[in-house]
């Protein structure tokens, strides 16, 4: 009876997975069709002629620059967020000082602030320091807004770390900085994998901040740069579909290779030993 239940469960999960994949499959087929086939044929049929040149067309049209901008801005913001959040969480959970709970509360308040409610103050601040139309403004914004959720994930994991490890290291003459970078930080690798994926999804897909703070094409990311192709290829819907597939690839690849790490990291940070 138990085996039958597992068979039914896996069949149901398989059906759900197929429905989840259908939009991506449809978009991929869409990107390889001509306009006449898109609007005149079966939308779910295979392309009569596989137009791989749609991908070459959009890449040569500038999508490569937007893709590169998205990659380096996402990577830099993730590094800063993971590092600063880890340092702050270490100071709050492993070091005894007077205002540690108060400072933690200040960080957690950030979870209650709507992400885009501060666009006007941020725009004014960046304008005063000449960071408008500068990718540094995007990196700083992503880092600051991702700190609260990153710290919340890290908190549970840091509380489970045994203090005996730190005490032994300090007895051997290890400094606080070396203790953090050489011992504590490597121990948090599972939860850091979760943080990387969560931050990557937000940074890669974010649109409003880039659209507000960046005006030059050379600094635009993929989500904003796609707008240019919608105008440029107004009648070439296959090329537009190709840009969307290119923008999806990094997130799909990250989930394929790191999905188990995400579950492991969330589980380890949720259990307090």
């Amino acid at each position: 009876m138990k085996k039958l239940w597992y068979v039914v469960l896996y069949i149901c999960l398989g059906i759900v997975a197929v429905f989840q994949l259908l939009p991506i499959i449809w978009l991929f087929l869409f990107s390889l069709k001509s306009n006449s086939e898109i609007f005149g044929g079966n939308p779910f049929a295979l392309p009569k002629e596989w137009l791989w040149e749609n991908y070459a067309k959009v890449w040569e049209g500038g999508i490569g620059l937007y893709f590169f901008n998205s990659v380096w801005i996402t990577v830099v913001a993730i590094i800063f967020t993971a590092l600063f959040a880890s340092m702050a969480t270490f100071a709050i959970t492993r070091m005894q000082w007077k205002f540690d709970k108060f400072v933690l509360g200040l960080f957690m308040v950030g979870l209650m602030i709507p992400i885009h409610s501060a666009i006007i103050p941020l725009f004014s601040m960046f304008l005063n320091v000449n960071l408008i139309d500068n990718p540094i403004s995007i990196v700083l914004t992503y880092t600051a807004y991702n700190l609260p959720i990153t710290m919340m994930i890290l908190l549970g994991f840091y509380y489970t770390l045994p203090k005996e490890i730190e005490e032994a290291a300090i007895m051997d003459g290890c400094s606080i900085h070396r203790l953090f970078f050489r011992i504590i930080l490597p121990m948090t690798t599972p939860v850091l994998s979760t943080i990387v994926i969560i931050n990557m999804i937000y940074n890669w897909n974010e649109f409003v901040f880039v659209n507000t703070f960046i005006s030059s094409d050379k600094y635009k990311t993929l989500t904003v740069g796609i707008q240019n192709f919608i105008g440029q290829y107004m009648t070439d819907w296959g090329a537009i579909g190709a840009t969307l597939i290119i923008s999806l690839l990094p997130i799909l690849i990250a989930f394929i290779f790191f999905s188990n790490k995400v579950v492991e990291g969330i589980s380890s940070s949720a259990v307090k030993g």
Side-chain angles (χ1 to χ4, degrees):
M1 186 65 183
K2 190 176 180 180
K3 290 184 178 179
L4 179 61
W5 164 250
Y6 275 113
V7 170
V8 174
L9 177 62
Y10 279 113
I11 291 175
C12 293
L13 291 176
I15 294 172
V16 172
V18 169
F19 278 102
Q20 293 284 343
L21 290 173
L22 273 179
I24 299 175
I25 296 172
W26 175 85
L27 182 61
F28 175 70
L29 296 177
F30 179 94
S31 69
L32 296 172
K33 294 180 179 180
S34 63
N35 282 357
S36 59
E37 196 171 353
I38 289 172
F39 294 105
N42 185 345
F44 297 101
L46 294 175
K48 295 178 181 177
E49 183 181 357
W50 297 71
L51 301 179
W52 295 102
E53 56 266 28
N54 286 342
Y55 287 88
K57 185 187 304 181
V58 297
W59 193 265
E60 293 169 359
I63 202 72
L65 175 62
Y66 303 142
F67 186 89
F68 173 75
N69 288 339
S70 290
V71 169
W72 81 259
I73 288 175
T74 297
V75 170
V76 171
I78 288 173
I79 293 173
F80 284 159
T81 303
L83 179 61
F84 294 153
S86 297
M87 294 170 70
T89 306
F90 174 77
I92 291 170
T93 59
R94 316 303 289 184
M95 302 171 68
Q96 301 297 322
W97 45 293
K98 189 174 182 180
F99 298 106
D100 55 349
K101 295 294 187 288
F102 175 74
V103 172
L104 176 60
L106 289 180
F107 278 108
M108 292 301 104
V109 166
L111 292 171
M112 298 183 288
I113 300 175
I115 290 179
H116 299 124
S117 64
I119 285 182
I120 295 177
L122 283 173
F123 186 90
S124 177
M125 181 184 71
F126 288 141
L127 186 63
N128 291 333
V129 295
N130 296 320
L131 286 180
I132 291 297
D133 200 23
N134 189 319
I136 294 176
S137 62
I138 304 301
V139 172
L140 292 175
T141 304
Y142 289 175
T143 302
Y145 268 102
N146 286 329
L147 275 177
I149 184 64
T150 303
M151 288 181 62
M152 187 177 71
I153 295 172
L154 287 171
L155 279 171
F157 191 86
Y158 270 77
Y159 279 127
T160 65
L161 295 177
K163 288 186 177 293
E164 289 79 9
I165 296 176
E166 301 170 37
E167 294 170 355
I170 292 173
M171 289 287 290
D172 289 337
C174 185
S175 66
I176 293 295
H177 299 88
R178 190 174 183 183
L179 171 66
F180 173 73
F181 286 106
R182 299 294 295 273
I183 299 175
I184 300 298
L185 195 60
M187 291 175 63
T188 62
T189 301
V191 74
L192 286 177
S193 301
T194 304
I195 288 168
V196 168
I197 295 298
I198 292 174
N199 280 269
M200 178 183 176
I201 292 171
Y202 171 78
N203 295 347
W204 187 267
N205 293 324
E206 203 282 322
F207 173 84
V208 176
F209 286 133
V210 179
N211 195 47
T212 304
F213 300 151
I214 302 297
S215 57
S216 299
D217 280 345
K218 62 181 179 179
Y219 296 136
K220 287 181 178 179
T221 58
L222 202 54
T223 52
V224 177
I226 286 176
Q227 291 184 110
N228 295 348
F229 289 94
I230 291 174
Q232 185 175 354
Y233 302 112
M234 185 60 68
T235 57
D236 195 346
W237 291 98
I240 296 173
T243 63
L244 295 176
I245 286 292
I246 291 172
S247 68
L248 285 174
L249 282 178
I251 300 296
L252 290 176
I253 293 172
F255 263 109
I256 290 171
F257 287 100
F258 297 106
S259 58
N260 291 336
K261 289 289 185 181
V262 172
V263 176
E264 179 184 345
I266 291 176
S267 300
S268 61
S269 64
V271 179
K272 184 176 179 179

